Amino acid sequence: MRVYYDKDADLSIIQNMQVTVVGYGSQGHAHANNLRDSGVSNIRVGLRPGGGSWAKAEAAGFQVAPVAEAVVGADLVMILTPDEHQQRIYAEEIAPNIKDGGAIAFAHGFNIHFGLIEPREDLDVVMIAPKGPGHTVRSTYTEGGGVPSLIAVGRDPGGQAKEIALSYACAIGAGRAAIIETNFREETETDLFGEQAVLCGGAAALVTAGFETLVEAGYAPEMAYFECLHELKLIVDFFYEGGVGNMWYTVSNTAEYGGLTRGSRIVTDDTKREMKRILTEIQSGRFAREFVSENQAGAPTIKAMRRMSQDHEIERVGERLRAMMPWIQANKLVDRAKN
Ligand code: NDP
Ligand code: MG
């Protein structure tokens, strides 16, 4: 596996390009701002008129236009709208307007790997996929660091696709951390698995089940919140800094013994079998088909599940407790008025 850094890339490639960033959400605002701060002077943001982020992008000083207009003349178009909108936006607004021999880029391989977008033959197709939330891509960059990112080349009619991807990755800060070369299949399948089984799905389910167990046993919801949610960040910081062993080193011997002997009763052989089933659904395209039809039907499942999750007691308790800890909000990564 090859890993690249700033020294391996030619930043001037992207600095000399006209870049259009489509979408100004989690990833979009981070890419646009990091590119600009890295000396990419010709940036446009493509959005839908009337949408919530138009004013945010303008307030940040970007030239904003409807997607079909913003991609005209662009050398590279980075597509950063939600995955479920990309097929239509590409077909109706990008493909008819992007110049011959231009490049399109993605931060996740979903639409290319599952064949929802079949790019025009003359276009370079690349991926620059930060391995972190967009708000962290921005905050880490402003602190002088970067979020490790994957790059991949889907198609290379221009013969320079990898150099372009490397250059772009450095401009968003990834070359300060690590740029790892992969392919669309590997990125898409591992990314979906990680977010479903461990990072988002697994972690949220674990925290919620722990909270419910304590509350159902009669303990105060505030205690349960601190124990099962708030403290998780403190523990994860040790994973991040020095791996699992670093965490075992810092906790008490009591916590270490209890954790080592009980953890595998929580994540059991059954859990791992289920993880394998989840991976198989991703690999076979079954998850992708399910997500596409969910969106064609107007996203009923995700809307209902969002509501249920917002109404959960852990969220109400959390809101109250966080209001008493103003330092958490002082430097918050997500500010819905701006990004
Ligand atoms: P967001 O949900 O944050 O994107 C929202 C942005 O897309 C808004 O600016 C929104 O504008 C715009 N948008 C939505 N629909 C349209 C449309 N029809 N036409 C024009 N603009 C539109 O997306 P993410 O940043 O979460 O994801 C972007 C890509 O990055 C995805 O491919 C995702 O998989 C990938 N990715 C995301 C990560 C993350 O941290 N979230 C991590 C790594 C990769 P409006 O205000 O008008 O709604
Ligand atoms: Mg992901």
Side-chain angles (χ1 to χ4, degrees), residues 108 130-132 187 191-192 194-195 199:
H108 179 33
K131 289 284 92 186
E187 184 277 337
D191 187 76
L192 292 172
E195 65 203 18
L199 306 173

PDB file of all heavy atoms in Angstrom, residues 108 130-132 187 191-192 194-195 199, ligand 2:
ATOM      1  N   HIS A 108     -16.561  10.036  -2.216  1.00  0.00           N
ATOM      2  CA  HIS A 108     -17.027   8.690  -1.855  1.00  0.00           C
ATOM      3  C   HIS A 108     -17.398   8.009  -3.182  1.00  0.00           C
ATOM      4  O   HIS A 108     -17.977   8.637  -4.057  1.00  0.00           O
ATOM      5  CB  HIS A 108     -18.239   8.796  -0.915  1.00  0.00           C
ATOM      6  CG  HIS A 108     -18.839   7.490  -0.473  1.00  0.00           C
ATOM      7  ND1 HIS A 108     -18.089   6.343  -0.265  1.00  0.00           N
ATOM      8  CD2 HIS A 108     -20.109   7.144  -0.198  1.00  0.00           C
ATOM      9  CE1 HIS A 108     -18.891   5.367   0.128  1.00  0.00           C
ATOM     10  NE2 HIS A 108     -20.123   5.818   0.169  1.00  0.00           N
ATOM     11  N   PRO A 130     -11.661  12.130   2.155  1.00  0.00           N
ATOM     12  CA  PRO A 130     -11.123  12.319   3.503  1.00  0.00           C
ATOM     13  C   PRO A 130     -11.706  11.272   4.449  1.00  0.00           C
ATOM     14  O   PRO A 130     -12.902  10.994   4.400  1.00  0.00           O
ATOM     15  CB  PRO A 130     -11.614  13.718   3.896  1.00  0.00           C
ATOM     16  CG  PRO A 130     -11.965  14.397   2.612  1.00  0.00           C
ATOM     17  CD  PRO A 130     -12.444  13.299   1.713  1.00  0.00           C
ATOM     18  N   LYS A 131     -10.881  10.725   5.311  1.00  0.00           N
ATOM     19  CA  LYS A 131     -11.370   9.736   6.286  1.00  0.00           C
ATOM     20  C   LYS A 131     -11.761  10.450   7.564  1.00  0.00           C
ATOM     21  O   LYS A 131     -11.235  10.192   8.647  1.00  0.00           O
ATOM     22  CB  LYS A 131     -10.289   8.683   6.532  1.00  0.00           C
ATOM     23  CG  LYS A 131     -10.067   7.738   5.374  1.00  0.00           C
ATOM     24  CD  LYS A 131     -11.139   6.677   5.224  1.00  0.00           C
ATOM     25  CE  LYS A 131     -12.288   7.056   4.309  1.00  0.00           C
ATOM     26  NZ  LYS A 131     -13.380   6.079   4.300  1.00  0.00           N
ATOM     27  N   GLY A 132     -12.704  11.372   7.425  1.00  0.00           N
ATOM     28  CA  GLY A 132     -13.195  12.098   8.584  1.00  0.00           C
ATOM     29  C   GLY A 132     -14.327  13.005   8.169  1.00  0.00           C
ATOM     30  O   GLY A 132     -14.483  13.305   6.984  1.00  0.00           O
ATOM     31  N   GLU A 187     -12.659   1.552  -1.518  1.00  0.00           N
ATOM     32  CA  GLU A 187     -13.090   2.701  -0.702  1.00  0.00           C
ATOM     33  C   GLU A 187     -14.571   2.589  -0.377  1.00  0.00           C
ATOM     34  O   GLU A 187     -15.004   2.776   0.760  1.00  0.00           O
ATOM     35  CB  GLU A 187     -12.807   4.018  -1.435  1.00  0.00           C
ATOM     36  CG  GLU A 187     -13.135   5.272  -0.624  1.00  0.00           C
ATOM     37  CD  GLU A 187     -14.604   5.701  -0.645  1.00  0.00           C
ATOM     38  OE1 GLU A 187     -15.345   5.342  -1.586  1.00  0.00           O
ATOM     39  OE2 GLU A 187     -15.040   6.373   0.291  1.00  0.00           O
ATOM     40  N   ASP A 191     -15.804   1.847   3.389  1.00  0.00           N
ATOM     41  CA  ASP A 191     -16.415   3.033   3.989  1.00  0.00           C
ATOM     42  C   ASP A 191     -17.826   2.712   4.478  1.00  0.00           C
ATOM     43  O   ASP A 191     -18.195   3.053   5.607  1.00  0.00           O
ATOM     44  CB  ASP A 191     -16.461   4.151   2.944  1.00  0.00           C
ATOM     45  CG  ASP A 191     -16.933   5.460   3.532  1.00  0.00           C
ATOM     46  OD1 ASP A 191     -16.126   6.105   4.223  1.00  0.00           O
ATOM     47  OD2 ASP A 191     -18.098   5.831   3.310  1.00  0.00           O
ATOM     48  N   LEU A 192     -18.615   2.051   3.644  1.00  0.00           N
ATOM     49  CA  LEU A 192     -19.986   1.700   4.043  1.00  0.00           C
ATOM     50  C   LEU A 192     -19.960   0.756   5.236  1.00  0.00           C
ATOM     51  O   LEU A 192     -20.733   0.911   6.187  1.00  0.00           O
ATOM     52  CB  LEU A 192     -20.741   1.064   2.866  1.00  0.00           C
ATOM     53  CG  LEU A 192     -21.058   2.003   1.687  1.00  0.00           C
ATOM     54  CD1 LEU A 192     -21.622   1.205   0.511  1.00  0.00           C
ATOM     55  CD2 LEU A 192     -22.026   3.102   2.094  1.00  0.00           C
ATOM     56  N   GLY A 194     -17.600   0.409   7.552  1.00  0.00           N
ATOM     57  CA  GLY A 194     -17.155   1.120   8.757  1.00  0.00           C
ATOM     58  C   GLY A 194     -18.284   1.932   9.368  1.00  0.00           C
ATOM     59  O   GLY A 194     -18.527   1.863  10.576  1.00  0.00           O
ATOM     60  N   GLU A 195     -18.989   2.685   8.540  1.00  0.00           N
ATOM     61  CA  GLU A 195     -20.030   3.551   9.113  1.00  0.00           C
ATOM     62  C   GLU A 195     -21.230   2.748   9.601  1.00  0.00           C
ATOM     63  O   GLU A 195     -21.877   3.128  10.572  1.00  0.00           O
ATOM     64  CB  GLU A 195     -20.431   4.676   8.139  1.00  0.00           C
ATOM     65  CG  GLU A 195     -21.091   4.242   6.860  1.00  0.00           C
ATOM     66  CD  GLU A 195     -20.960   5.275   5.736  1.00  0.00           C
ATOM     67  OE1 GLU A 195     -20.091   6.160   5.818  1.00  0.00           O
ATOM     68  OE2 GLU A 195     -21.734   5.176   4.759  1.00  0.00           O
ATOM     69  N   LEU A 199     -18.589   2.706  13.260  1.00  0.00           N
ATOM     70  CA  LEU A 199     -18.480   4.120  13.626  1.00  0.00           C
ATOM     71  C   LEU A 199     -19.806   4.784  13.937  1.00  0.00           C
ATOM     72  O   LEU A 199     -19.934   5.484  14.943  1.00  0.00           O
ATOM     73  CB  LEU A 199     -17.791   4.889  12.485  1.00  0.00           C
ATOM     74  CG  LEU A 199     -16.444   4.310  12.063  1.00  0.00           C
ATOM     75  CD1 LEU A 199     -15.931   5.024  10.825  1.00  0.00           C
ATOM     76  CD2 LEU A 199     -15.443   4.427  13.206  1.00  0.00           C
TER      77      LEU A 199
HETATM   78 MG    MG B   2     -17.409   7.224   5.782  1.00  0.00          MG
END
